[in-house]
Amino acid sequence: MPAQSRSDSGADRIDLVLLDVGGPIYDDAAYRDALLRAVRELAAEDGRSVDEAEFQQVYDERRQAQGGSLRTAIAERFLTVNDRQRLSERAERYWEYPPSALHADVLPTLRQLAGRYKLAIVANQRAVVVDALRRDGVADYIDVWAVSEVVGAEKPDPRIFQHALREAGVGPTNAVHVGNRLDTDVRGARRVGLRTVWVLRGEAPPEPTPEQLAEPDVSVFSLAELPTALEKLQEGA
C-alpha cells in the first residue's frame, strides 16, 4: 500500500525521527501474551478460567477503537475493575521481547535512516527495554532516549515528546513521530506539533476506517516504507 500523505507542512525539514517500540520495532504479540498469561493466573486464583478466543475479542475491540485502556477492559471483563493495577503488575513480570520479536525490517530501515536524521526512542515501556534494544542492535542507531519509566510520563502526555525534542535540540516542526496507535502516538504527537507516521501493525486496528486513516500525516504497513514516507513528508507530497 503506498504511503498516504495529508501533510500541509511538508516543506519543513525533518531532523528528528521518533520511534515507538511496541509495534514498529517489536511484535506486539509479546505484550498480548504477557497480558493473557497474567489475567489467566489472576482468574485462576479465584477458581475461574479465561478463554483465549474471548480475550482476543476484547483485545481486537480495543485495537479497533484506538482509545481506552486495554488493561482496564481486560480487568473489567475477566476480573474486576479494581484489579487493573494487579493485572498490570503481573503482566509486567512476563512482558519482555525475545530476539525473535524484532521485526525483520527494523535494522535495514535504521541503517538507511542513520546519518540522515537523528533517531529517538519514545515509548511507554519499562527501562529494561533498553537492554533488549541493545541486544538486538537497535540501540546502535539511537541518539535520544525517552522511555516512560525513566522520563516519568507516558504517551500521550506531551512531556515525553518534549523530553525527546529537548534532548535532540530539535523543534516540533522538524520532527516526525512513528507509532502504531492513534490515541497515544498520533494524537499525542500532533498535540505537541509533530508530524506523524502511523504503522499499521501490532496494536493498530484490524480494519482501519477512512476516518482513522485521515488522522496521521502518513500511513504505512511496515518500517520498510518509512524512508520513502519521510521523503514525501519533507517534500510536501
Side-chain angles (χ1 to χ4, degrees), residues 93-156:
R93 297 182 190 177
Y94 310 124
W95 184 18
E96 58 183 28
Y97 296 110
S100 60
L102 183 71
H103 287 297
D105 55 13
V106 172
L107 294 180
T109 298
L110 293 180
R111 280 193 288 269
Q112 281 186 264
L113 299 180
R116 298 171 62 186
Y117 311 99
K118 289 184 179 180
L119 300 177
I121 291 292
V122 179
N124 292 349
Q125 297 275 347
R126 297 172 299 156
V128 295
V129 75
V130 178
D131 295 334
L133 293 166
R134 287 181 178 139
R135 177 200 65 206
D136 296 328
V138 175
D140 295 343
Y141 300 98
I142 304 303
D143 303 294
V144 173
W145 297 91
V147 176
S148 60
E149 188 176 53
V150 177
V151 175
E154 291 190 349
K155 297 176 298 183

Side-chain angles (χ1 to χ4, degrees), residues 3-213:
Q4 304 168 23
S5 175
R6 55 174 291 276
S7 174
D8 58 5
S9 57
D12 291 324
R13 185 183 68 253
I14 297 172
D15 294 322
L16 174 67
V17 178
L18 294 73
L19 296 158
D20 187 18
V21 169
I25 293 177
Y26 287 117
D27 190 336
D28 269 332
Y31 179 65
R32 174 209 172 273
D33 293 347
L35 196 58
L36 176 59
R37 180 177 176 182
V39 73
R40 278 180 157 170
E41 287 183 357
L42 292 172
E45 292 174 6
D46 294 327
R48 290 177 285 113
S49 62
V50 173
D51 177 69
E52 184 170 357
E54 187 179 359
F55 174 93
Q56 187 66 41
Q57 180 184 8
V58 177
Y59 180 74
D60 288 341
E61 286 172 354
R62 292 269 54 82
R63 289 171 61 207
Q64 189 63 47
Q66 289 294 288
S69 167
L70 172 62
R71 286 169 290 181
T72 298
I74 294 295
E76 288 178 344
R77 177 71 67 90
F78 301 107
L79 305 168
T80 74
V81 67
N82 296 323
D83 286 320
R84 182 189 185 281
Q85 187 60 32
R86 290 176 62 218
L87 175 63
S88 181
E89 291 171 356
R90 185 70 62 94
E92 284 189 358
R93 297 182 190 177
Y94 310 124
W95 184 18
E96 58 183 28
Y97 296 110
S100 60
L102 183 71
H103 287 297
D105 55 13
V106 172
L107 294 180
T109 298
L110 293 180
R111 280 193 288 269
Q112 281 186 264
L113 299 180
R116 298 171 62 186
Y117 311 99
K118 289 184 179 180
L119 300 177
I121 291 292
V122 179
N124 292 349
Q125 297 275 347
R126 297 172 299 156
V128 295
V129 75
V130 178
D131 295 334
L133 293 166
R134 287 181 178 139
R135 177 200 65 206
D136 296 328
V138 175
D140 295 343
Y141 300 98
I142 304 303
D143 303 294
V144 173
W145 297 91
V147 176
S148 60
E149 188 176 53
V150 177
V151 175
E154 291 190 349
K155 297 176 298 183
D157 190 321
R159 291 176 295 170
I160 192 167
F161 297 103
Q162 291 163 346
H163 174 86
L165 293 171
R166 282 195 305 271
E167 291 293 307
V170 173
T173 59
N174 299 115
V176 174
H177 180 61
V178 181
N180 68 330
R181 291 186 62 94
L182 288 179
D183 53 352
T184 55
D185 290 306
V186 172
R187 295 168 192 157
R190 286 182 69 85
R191 280 198 290 270
V192 181
L194 282 74
R195 282 167 284 172
T196 57
V197 175
W198 193 24
V199 184
L200 295 169
R201 64 186 181 193
E203 290 189 359
E207 298 180 10
T209 66
E211 293 77 15
Q212 289 173 329
L213 290 168

